[in-house]
Amino acid sequence: MSRIRHVRGSRLATAGIAAGTATLLVAALAPGAGAADRPTPAAALDHAAAALVDHATPLGLTSAQDTKARDVIVDEDGTQHIRYDRAYRELPVLGGDFVVHLEPDGDYRDANRATSAPVSLPTVTPELSAPKAADLAANTLRAANPGELLKKLTAKPQLVVDALHGTPKLAWRTNAAALDSLGNPVARTVLTDARTGARIDAWDTIESASGDGKSLYGGTVPLQTTQSGSSYQLKDPTRGNTYTGDAENQTDLCFLGVCLVRAPSTPFTDADNHWGSGTSADRASAAVDAQYGTDMTWDYYKDVHGRSGIAGDGKGSYNRVHYGNRYNNAFWDDSCFCMTYGDGDGTTFGPLVSLDVAGHEMSHGVTSATAALTYSGESGGLNEATSDIFGTLVEWHAGNSTDAGDYLIGEKVVRSGFGRDALRYMDKPSRDGSSADCWSTSVGDLDVHYSSGVANHFAYLLAEGSGARTVGGVAYDSPTCDGSTVSGIGRDKLGDIWYRALTVYMTSSTDYAGARAATLSAAEDLYGADSTEYAAVGAAWSAVNVG
C-alpha cells in the first residue's frame, strides 16, 4: 500500500492500491480510528454485489446484463463508493456506467447513473455490416482531414450498445486511424447506428496537452535517475520507474491493442547525471522538461489526493519526446500508458513539454481511469477542463519560480506565429476568441477545447473569485455571467472538490448540470452542506449560468 497522506482541509484522505482488475482507492484512517471498523475493499465489493441484487430495478439491471467493478473508494468514515461498467448480452454499454454509494454498514444509500434509460434491445444482430461501418468511419476521418493524403488508414469496428444518445440502440464504435502527410497520427472514433448506418457521433481519439537537468522552460530542475554501470538512465525508481525516451522523430499507430507502427522510446542516458543544456540544440533538454513534468504530476496527485500514479496503482508511465516531424501537439495514450510530445513547428509552437501541458495531458489518464468522461459534447468539454484544472494545479504545486503557477494554459509553448500569449485563459476563456465563458444550450456543439471554457471559468471563480486582481504577478479580470460577485475559496479546495467529484460522482455522460451536482456532493462530503465551501460551489456555477 502506498504511503497515506491526508487531503488538506477535508475529512477525507485516500491511498491507492491495486487489487484484482479494479483500481482501489482506500480512505486513510483519521488519528485514533480503528482499522477493524472500516470495510476493506473486498468487503465493499461484497456489499455492492448484494446491493446490485436488491436494487436491480432502480439500477436498470436485468438478467441480460453483466457488470464489472472498475473503482472502489472507501471513505474515512466507512462510506463506500463502487464504480461499475455495464454490458448487455456481452456487448459494452456506452453510458451504462454507474456508481453505487453505500453506508458504512454496507446498506445501500443511492447511485449515480450515466443514463437512466432502460437497456433492452430486440436484437443484437446488426443490419449494417462491420466492413460497411469501417468504410463510413474511414470516410469520416478523411473528411476531418481535408486536403491530406492519409496513409496506412485502418478502421476497426466494435459492436456496442449506445445509451449515451437517447434511447439505447445497437451501434458500431469504430476507431479509424492513419498517418498524415508528415507521418503524424490522426484518429477519430466514429459511432454509427448499426441498423440505419446513420452517424451518431464522432470525436478525436488522440487527446489533444537524482541528478539535475537544464530544461527548456523550468530552469535547472532536480531529477531522480537510475545508475546503470558507469552511466545514468533518465528513469525514476522513486515514482514507479517513470522514464523518458527519444522517439527519434518517428511516429506510431496503435489502437485496440494492435500496433501497426511503433515509434521508439530510446532511453536517454548521461555520463555525469547532469542532463540537457537548456536549449533545443541538445535533445536531452526537452527530455528534462518531460521527465520533470511527469515527476511534478506524480507528486501533485500523491501529495494532495493520495493517488499513487496515473492509474492509482503505483505504476509509472513513460514519455517520448521528439515525436514526429514538427509535430504541433502532445497527447496521452492509454494504449501505451505513455505521454508523447512533439517539437512544434517553431513558428506557432515550440516543444510542447511545458509543465502545465504535461499535467494536462497526464490528467487525461486519470480521467480515463475514473469517470471516463466521453470526449464529445458537454462531457468532452468537462474532460478537457478537468485536464486544464489539474494541469494548472500541478504547475502551482511545483512551486517553480522559473515557470510559476498561473491560470494560463500553455503560455510557455506558444510562439509569435500563434498570435496569443497562451492557448487558453481560465479567468475569462473567451479571451482566446473561441471558448465559452458562460453555459448555454449550444455549448455542447462547440469543439471540446472551447466548451471547456465554462468549467475553466467556474474553476477560476471558485479558487480566486470574480473581478480584477493580480495573482502571482499576473493580472486577471474575471466577469460573471449573472452580474454577481463571487468570493473564492482557494486553489487547494478547488482541487479537493473537483478530484472528489471526478472520482466518486461523475460518470461518462456527466454534463454541466451533472458537474454542478457532482461538485456540490463533493463539497458536502468534504466540508458539509452548511459550509462556506458548499455555498461557494453553487455560487460559482450560477455565475457561469449553470444551475
Side-chain angles (χ1 to χ4, degrees):
M1 182 179 291
S2 59
R3 187 156 57 98
I4 293 174
R5 294 176 182 265
H6 287 282
V7 179
R8 290 184 312 274
S10 78
R11 300 174 296 170
L12 302 173
T14 59
I17 62 173
T21 58
T23 299
L24 308 180
L25 299 179
V26 186
L29 289 171
D37 298 330
R38 184 167 55 94
T40 64
L45 287 169
D46 288 341
H47 296 158
L52 297 192
V53 174
D54 294 341
H55 300 273
T57 299
L59 291 172
L61 297 173
T62 68
S63 60
Q65 298 179 29
D66 295 310
T67 59
K68 182 178 180 180
R70 191 199 314 163
D71 280 324
V72 177
I73 293 177
V74 181
D75 290 344
E76 180 178 286
D77 65 357
T79 303
Q80 301 142 61
H81 314 272
I82 301 87
R83 183 181 296 273
Y84 285 94
D85 290 313
R86 185 190 314 246
Y88 176 78
R89 296 176 66 178
E90 301 184 353
L91 299 179
V93 179
L94 309 185
D97 53 302
F98 59 97
V99 186
V100 172
H101 307 286
L102 306 176
E103 301 291 352
D105 62 2
D107 285 350
Y108 178 84
R109 188 180 79 188
D110 56 20
N112 292 94
R113 293 176 57 182
T115 178
S116 59
V119 180
S120 179
L121 303 179
T123 179
V124 291
T125 301
E127 295 183 28
L128 183 76
S129 68
K132 182 61 176 176
D135 288 343
L136 292 171
N139 289 335
T140 298
L141 182 62
R142 292 188 184 100
N145 294 272
E148 285 282 356
L149 181 60
L150 300 182
K151 299 173 290 185
K152 297 183 178 180
L153 195 157
T154 62
K156 298 183 179 298
Q158 179 189 25
L159 200 61
V160 300
V161 177
D162 172 37
L164 282 172
H165 301 85
T167 302
K169 61 181 73 68
L170 195 63
W172 289 105
R173 178 176 60 186
T174 306
N175 291 316
L179 300 177
D180 65 16
S181 57
L182 294 177
N184 296 315
V186 293
R188 282 179 76 76
T189 295
V190 181
L191 200 60
T192 307
D193 192 309
R195 183 179 66 86
T196 66
R199 190 175 76 182
I200 301 170
D201 200 356
W203 57 89
D204 290 334
T205 303
I206 296 177
E207 296 177 335
S208 330
S210 83
D212 59 63
K214 294 181 178 178
S215 69
L216 296 175
Y217 303 123
T220 300
V221 297
L223 297 169
Q224 296 294 319
T225 61
T226 300
Q227 187 167 5
S228 178
S230 60
S231 66
Y232 298 85
Q233 295 180 344
L234 198 51
K235 180 179 182 179
D236 188 344
T238 70
R239 297 179 175 91
N241 288 315
T242 58
Y243 76 92
T244 298
D246 193 335
E248 300 177 2
N249 299 108
Q250 299 181 44
T251 59
D252 61 25
L253 188 60
C254 293
F255 292 97
L256 297 180
V258 178
C259 296
L260 302 178
V261 181
R262 173 70 77 183
S265 55
T266 306
F268 279 89
T269 61
D270 189 85
D272 62 4
N273 214 17
H274 300 292
W275 304 76
S277 65
T279 70
S280 295
D282 186 339
R283 293 179 74 85
S285 298
V288 170
D289 285 273
Q291 186 70 25
Y292 175 66
T294 300
D295 292 350
M296 294 301 98
T297 302
W298 178 289
D299 288 355
Y300 169 75
Y301 280 107
K302 183 69 181 299
D303 295 347
V304 178
H305 304 300
R307 187 180 190 87
S308 183
I310 298 303
D313 58 4
K315 297 178 181 178
S317 55
Y318 70 94
N319 303 306
R320 295 177 300 179
V321 295
H322 306 303
Y323 180 85
N325 179 20
R326 295 162 54 86
Y327 187 52
N328 275 336
N329 210 345
F331 61 90
W332 170 266
D333 186 346
D334 276 323
S335 70
C336 64
F337 200 68
C338 69
M339 182 65 212
T340 301
Y341 300 90
D343 288 325
D345 60 13
T347 301
T348 52
F349 295 102
L352 287 98
V353 290
S354 67
L355 184 54
D356 57 353
V357 170
H360 171 106
E361 298 299 348
M362 283 183 279
S363 292
H364 279 304
V366 175
T367 297
S368 178
T370 55
L373 289 159
T374 301
Y375 205 63
S376 65
E378 291 190 17
S379 300
L382 286 164
N383 189 318
E384 275 296 316
T386 294
S387 284
D388 280 350
I389 291 166
F390 286 128
T392 294
L393 294 175
V394 166
E395 189 178 58
W396 281 102
H397 185 71
N400 185 325
S401 60
T402 305
D403 185 6
D406 53 50
Y407 293 97
L408 312 176
I409 307 299
E411 73 282 356
K412 289 287 188 179
V413 305
V414 297
R415 297 293 182 264
S416 58
F418 187 65
R420 299 197 305 273
D421 60 356
L423 289 170
R424 289 184 290 281
Y425 308 86
M426 297 183 73
D427 64 323
K428 187 178 181 182
S430 62
R431 288 169 62 192
D432 66 13
S434 300
S435 291
D437 291 337
C438 311
W439 183 87
S440 69
T441 56
S442 61
V443 158
D445 298 329
L446 297 175
D447 179 278
V448 294
H449 295 88
Y450 303 142
S451 61
S452 64
V454 178
N456 281 343
H457 192 190
F458 158 82
Y460 176 88
L461 289 170
L462 184 60
E464 301 292 347
S466 58
R469 69 193 64 238
T470 298
V471 183
V474 180
Y476 303 97
D477 193 353
S478 189
T480 58
C481 306
D482 61 355
S484 63
T485 299
V486 175
S487 297
I489 60 173
R491 291 183 296 274
D492 293 345
K493 291 179 179 179
L494 159 66
D496 291 345
I497 290 167
W498 197 270
Y499 183 81
R500 174 77 174 170
L502 178 75
T503 57
V504 173
Y505 293 109
M506 292 186 186
T507 67
S508 60
S509 68
T510 296
D511 57 11
Y512 273 112
R516 177 187 172 105
T519 50
L520 284 170
S521 293
E524 181 176 0
D525 292 345
L526 293 166
Y527 308 109
D530 296 326
S531 65
T532 299
E533 292 83 0
Y534 184 91
V537 169
W541 278 123
S542 295
V544 296
N545 282 350
V546 178

